[in-house]
Amino acid sequence: MSAQERVTDALYGLGWGVVKKLPEPVAAGLGRSIADLVWKRRGKGVRRLEGNYARVVPDASPERLAELSRAGMRSYLRYWMESFRLPAWSAERVKGGFDAKDVHHLTDGLASGKGVILALPHMANWDLAGAWVTTALGTPFTTVAERLRPETLYDRFVAYRESLGMEVLPHSGGTAFGMLARRLRDGGLVCLVAERDLSASGVEVEFFGETTRIPAGPALLAQQTGALLLPVTLWYDDSPVMRGRVHPPVEVPETGTRAEKTSVMAQALADAFASGIADHPEDWHMLQRLWLADLDPAKDPSAPRPTAPFEDPVADPGADTPAGPSAPEKGTP
């Protein structure tokens, strides 16, 4: 393990070991202080966040973008302070910590026995939403996490999410995809963070007027298993309660090739994400490059791709699965 890996692992360990013991107001204040300090330093992550917000709010002035990025960093650190404390929250605190609109789409889908896929962007606190599902609805679910270095850090994240009632699969290509498909065919629930895919197998979509790629996995899983695909968006307000909305199902087109169906469904998913992000841009924690124009060094040679502090290790589902338009039809067991 390198020195940098040891420091990274120690910082996460400190968060889960110390922050969860702090009184909630103290932890919240600490998060705001760290957020403001990082924002004032205007590192690569903050500058990239502003660049992403400029697409979401194209008529924003530089002053407005600066306000958004400060609010965005505060939202981002609120996510981390809550996440470090979540294992110590009581069941009642978890149940009261999230208010979901139109949750009937989820409960009706689960009652149908066909399986449900929840697909979310990196908004507010997706871990809290997951804990609410396992606690308030009493419904376990399966997700994926990419392998991290050092291995001890990966183990920390798996243990953390398992403590919240999640089944966490290692992101290992077709194996993970096949296991998710089996869970869905058994009528289970799968939750995937799904608006960022930097692999060659992502599906191109229009997102706030420009082209990006999102994972094909959610759409392919819905096609292959018959599960319901539900977009979810999350946001904070001035209260201690996180808000969210379960959007109407993304339907599988009746005609077209698998690639064509996947493209239509991916665009519908991106549109649902965009509607939630446009309403609450400061709660979209995208401190990395997203749009293809930003990923092209010829168009942006001066800005290497930044890595955000406390980057979430939830995998981009579909990145290494049989998810590309040219993938073989027989993709899962």
Side-chain angles (χ1 to χ4, degrees), residues 228-287:
L228 202 64
L229 175 55
L230 299 175
V232 178
T233 52
L234 310 170
W235 66 92
Y236 291 125
D237 57 19
D238 293 331
S239 77
V241 179
M242 184 179 71
R243 313 295 174 178
R245 179 189 175 197
V246 182
H247 295 252
V250 172
E251 302 290 345
V252 177
E254 294 183 1
T255 61
T257 65
R258 190 179 75 161
E260 290 168 343
K261 292 178 180 180
T262 300
S263 178
V264 171
M265 295 174 71
Q267 187 61 61
L269 200 59
D271 291 343
F273 291 163
S275 69
I277 292 168
D279 288 340
H280 306 280
E282 68 278 6
D283 293 315
W284 185 41
H285 307 152
M286 187 51 62
L287 282 75

Side-chain angles (χ1 to χ4, degrees), residues 198-209:
L198 305 182
S199 73
S201 61
V203 181
E204 290 193 3
V205 295
E206 290 300 304
F207 197 56
F208 292 102

Side-chain angles (χ1 to χ4, degrees), residues 56-226:
V56 178
V57 190
D59 58 348
S61 65
E63 293 76 17
R64 172 59 177 151
L65 288 176
E67 292 173 358
L68 273 176
S69 67
R70 183 179 186 181
M73 290 307 299
R74 286 189 168 191
S75 175
Y76 187 40
L77 265 295
R78 175 175 171 175
Y79 158 71
W80 277 108
M81 294 301 108
E82 286 181 349
S83 294
F84 286 141
R85 289 178 46 76
L86 262 177
W89 281 19
S90 68
E92 290 307 311
R93 178 68 180 89
V94 171
K95 291 177 182 178
F98 180 43
D99 176 37
K101 297 180 179 179
D102 298 326
V103 75
H104 66 88
H105 291 305
L106 171 58
T107 54
D108 291 349
L110 291 171
S112 74
K114 294 182 179 180
V116 176
I117 306 155
L118 295 181
L120 306 86
H122 289 80
M123 291 188 76
N125 191 336
W126 44 96
D127 285 329
L128 172 54
W132 183 86
V133 167
T134 62
T135 305
L137 300 185
T139 302
F141 65 86
T142 305
T143 188
V144 294
E146 65 179 320
R147 288 285 181 183
L148 301 174
R149 294 184 60 187
E151 186 75 13
T152 52
L153 182 56
Y154 172 78
D155 292 341
R156 286 186 192 276
F157 272 99
V158 170
Y160 159 61
R161 290 195 162 105
E162 287 180 342
S163 76
L164 302 179
M166 310 176 192
E167 178 189 27
V168 183
L169 302 178
H171 188 242
S172 52
T175 302
F177 188 89
M179 185 62 72
L180 294 174
R182 285 193 287 274
R183 294 290 183 269
L184 292 168
R185 290 189 182 107
D186 290 339
L189 176 64
V190 165
C191 299
L192 302 169
V193 180
E195 95 279 30
R196 181 173 181 259
D197 186 315
L198 305 182
S199 73
S201 61
V203 181
E204 290 193 3
V205 295
E206 290 300 304
F207 197 56
F208 292 102
E210 293 191 44
T211 304
T212 187
R213 287 191 296 263
I214 70 170
L220 283 172
L221 284 167
Q223 290 178 57
Q224 295 193 20
T225 68

